[in-house]
Amino acid sequence: MAIIGTVNVGGAGTAVQVGKNGNVTSVTFISRSDNNGAVYVGTSDVTSTNGVYLGPGDHVRLPFRGKDRLESFWCDADNADENIDFVADNTAREV
């Protein structure tokens, strides 16, 4: 089953926690194509210098060997009111 949502970074340089909880086996973050600048994905200390860079329309898929907590991810942006969509998979992996 997928966990789907959107993170809105209301203020540039202000990290926002992914607002959904759950153990996931992978997550894909998608920077909306109508964003005005870069967004960044990382942990609670994410910034433009240490986060995964996503330009408008870019995406990144993060697979995990086991499971990771979705709420352990945070997003930041160069501009206010940028949106990052995400799709996370919380199904068990076949071994």
Side-chain angles (χ1 to χ4, degrees):
M1 182 171 171
I3 301 172
I4 300 168
T6 299
V7 177
N8 175 269
V9 179
T14 304
V16 177
Q17 187 175 22
V18 172
K20 303 266 184 167
N21 295 332
N23 289 317
V24 297
T25 55
S26 69
V27 61
T28 302
F29 290 96
I30 307 113
S31 174
R32 290 198 180 164
S33 59
D34 61 353
N35 283 345
N36 293 310
V39 299
Y40 308 91
V41 176
T43 56
S44 61
D45 64 345
V46 66
T47 66
S48 61
T49 58
N50 67 10
V52 176
Y53 170 93
L54 297 174
D58 288 347
H59 71 278
V60 63
R61 181 176 181 270
L62 305 172
F64 311 112
R65 282 186 172 253
K67 290 192 173 190
D68 205 341
R69 298 293 302 171
L70 184 56
E71 65 272 19
S72 67
F73 292 95
W74 292 64
C75 299
D76 195 0
D78 285 339
N79 300 298
D81 287 325
E82 303 284 44
N83 292 295
I84 304 99
D85 297 320
F86 64 87
V87 179
D89 182 5
N90 65 353
T91 56
R93 291 186 188 267
E94 299 271 336
V95 184

